[in-house]
Amino acid sequence: MILEKNVALLIAMDISLAEQIEELQNGGGLLESAATNIRKWLTGGFLSPESLVSLTELVETSNAEELNNRFYKNIAFGTGGLRGRTIGATSTTAEKGDMDQTGVPAIPGVGSNMLNEYTVAKATIGLFEYARKYLEKKGSGFVPKLVIAHDVRHFSRYFCQLSASVWTRCGGEAFIFDGPRSTPQLSFTVRSLGATCGVVVTASHNPPHDNGYKAYFEDGGQLVPPNDQGVIHEVESAPLSGLKDYLAIDIDAVKTLGQEHDEAYIAAVVETVIDRSALEGSDLKVVFTPIHGTGAVSTLPALEKLGLEPLLVEPQMVQDSNFPTVKSPNPENAEALSLAIELSELEGADILLGTDPDCDRMGVAVKNDEGKMVLVTGNQIGAMMADYRIRKLKTMGWIPQEGTQSSALIKTFVTSPMQDAIAGNHGIKTINTLTGFKWIGEKLHLYEQELKASYEKEFGSALDYDQLSQKERSELLQKYSTFYVFGGEESYGYLPTDSVRDKDGNAASVIFCELAASLKKEGRTVLDYLDSLYLQYGYFLEYLGQIVYEGAAGAAKIENILKSYRSNPPTEFLGANVSKFTDFGVETVVDPDGKEIPKQDLYFLELENGYRYAVRGSGTEPKIKFYLFGSEPVADESTLEATKSKTRENLERLKEAILSDAKDRSDN
């Protein structure tokens, strides 16, 4: 009765509640935009009784800061989808339920800037509308087909089933898995099922209070122009008023994918290994942890098929939304791998592998000469795997010994220039893209389309691309288009083949084992190999500086910094003048294929001493990032350690100066 009374009062916009909102807006710290959105949600007629009571509690306790963070804007359906809090910084009584005892919240947090049932349903309606119109424009008689995967986060399964239910209510066909699956498997399955779209419910390695809704299109890649803007328009156009009809979950018409789809993806992961002989009879000792996420679902079966039986970090094999054994489930952080490092040193492991919750990223540590595990950065991992794979492809006759501009290494601009040097030395084309693996996926799609068009023109029949082996693809792509040899980004994301169109922690784990096993058979360690690359190409070092600015006030600070770089860019740091400033949001930048890079607020600064850095706002977290690059020539092996120390000192000083300058800019 009490709940029903509260609902009735709220639907009628009880005058006392309206007055409290007015008071909060007129001196209580509530932003005008937040007040506007609160009123829309209170009078929209779509909120559940629990959400209405939660919103009432936040207003009646005058929690302006929490209300601002939840309502100051509508959560943006960006070019990759949605990502944000699903659990508030301050949870209401209804939202918490018995969370203090169980660690599991009862319901998602209410708010226009939150990931909850309302924002997920609205996104799914918009995605369906775009897919429906896209198929109609193509003249297709099929209904839109959606595949949904999810990770282990709070409400991931709920959002997955809700999305599938909404899609079928709209008139489409929806497929889900029987439990958590990795992001790369979703990408693969979109292609293998011939789906129109895909969604994975994940916030990758973000904190436990976050979740996300990541959208894919029929090529298995994330949304890129023009599809991204089309979907965004449809999502923004979907009315709040109609949401109530979609919120009751009905999955009777939803299809659950069988084991054969897991087996098909695992087979594709195994196929990424170029030289199976490197793993045959190998005594490589591997430790693996999925850090409570999805990594064990596919990585372990793939490694076992290749004859490896990794030691497991048992406490982290349990899928858990709270990631209880780590501060952050991010394999690029030493803390997240501390249990794996402890086990590795106890067991004398050669390497350890750690994957993030949705298994699109992989972190690595390797044994040094003293038997201690040493973390390897994402840039170092990418450089070693790139060099190894190109060398192997040449040895096996997949690409010419002298290299070819019909083969490409694809990386992001903010990934180490060492990989550009490696590709150039091998005679391979390097393509740099904007940050985000979707741009690498777009390139793979364009290369595939170019091959198909040329093949059909020459032979008069369509090419079934997905039925080609990797060897067959390499031959045809080099003849008619461009063959992808490897790709990745500095943030621990790698992709060895184009069977998947997003970074793949499962495949990365497998091919790093291939690299380590091959080196061990030669009597070399991973660190030996890395140093040999420095001797050949020079020493490269990269640092990431970042500043976190939470909430509405933080978003304004990030915007201040980015705007100031355009209007008043830095001219010098530590006595070194800025010799070149590139504004990707204004200037026209073209890649080696002649494709124009889309405009984005990304800035690249080069100093006269050869050091450089890039600046961009994170697309998935409330932070601004600074990517620093240092490099120095190495005369010989005897000078390598001194060169490393010199470069580290220079980059540390530069990072401090850049971050100090940014903090000054944030308040202007």
Side-chain angles (χ1 to χ4, degrees), residues 41 44-55 70-71 74-75 77 82 86 95 107-126 158-159 162-163 166 213 235 238-248:
W41 278 51
F46 57 86
L47 292 180
S48 69
E50 293 81 8
S51 293
L52 283 166
V53 170
S54 289
L55 185 46
R70 291 187 184 212
F71 284 98
N74 293 321
I75 188 171
F77 192 101
L82 305 169
T86 195
E95 290 167 356
I107 58 173
V110 65
S112 61
N113 189 39
M114 301 283 285
L115 198 83
N116 49 44
E117 58 267 52
Y118 313 108
T119 52
V120 166
K122 190 173 188 291
T124 306
I125 293 168
Y158 169 60
F159 291 146
L162 174 63
S163 301
V166 170
Y213 179 101
V235 172
L240 287 170
S241 58
L243 287 182
K244 190 172 183 179
D245 296 334
Y246 293 91
L247 297 177

Side-chain angles (χ1 to χ4, degrees), residues 83 205-207 210 330 546 558 617-625:
R83 188 180 294 190
H205 57 274
N206 280 33
D210 286 356
N330 188 345
Q546 48 193 2
I558 292 173
S618 172
T620 57
E621 298 171 277
K623 61 178 64 171
I624 187 164
K625 295 185 174 183

Side-chain angles (χ1 to χ4, degrees), residues 75-84 115 119-120 123-124 127 146-151 153 156 159-160 163 167 181-187 190 196-206 211-217 220-224 228 231 235 356-361 435-439 441 489 491-494 500-505 619-620:
I75 188 171
F77 192 101
T79 54
L82 305 169
R83 188 180 294 190
L115 198 83
T119 52
V120 166
T124 306
L127 182 61
L146 175 70
V147 186
I148 312 168
H150 66 86
D151 68 5
R153 288 178 174 273
S156 282
F159 291 146
C160 168
S163 301
W167 194 269
R181 294 295 190 278
S182 65
T183 289
Q185 182 167 354
L186 181 278
S187 172
V190 167
T196 322
C197 301
V199 165
V200 59
V201 181
T202 181
S204 193
H205 57 274
N206 280 33
N211 213 327
Y213 179 101
K214 194 174 179 183
Y216 292 75
F217 214 56
Q222 295 177 57
L223 299 175
V224 294
D228 57 352
V231 171
V235 172
D356 68 344
D358 66 322
C359 198
D360 61 351
R361 289 177 168 86
T435 306
F437 227 90
K438 67 178 186 176
W439 302 113
E489 55 186 3
S491 54
Y492 296 72
Y494 324 97
V500 167
R501 300 298 167 89
D502 204 349
K503 51 188 176 286
D504 190 340
T620 57

Side-chain angles (χ1 to χ4, degrees), residues 72 549-562 665-666 668:
Y72 82 96
Y549 289 120
E550 296 272 8
K557 287 179 177 288
I558 292 173
E559 186 176 0
N560 286 344
I561 297 172
L562 292 173
R665 292 169 179 269
S666 69
N668 295 331

Side-chain angles (χ1 to χ4, degrees), residues 376-397:
V376 189
T377 71
N379 282 306
Q380 292 169 332
I381 295 167
M384 287 188 286
M385 290 199 295
D387 184 76
Y388 172 81
R389 288 184 72 81
I390 294 171
R391 290 180 187 277
K392 281 290 183 181
L393 288 169
K394 287 183 173 182
T395 299
M396 300 180 74

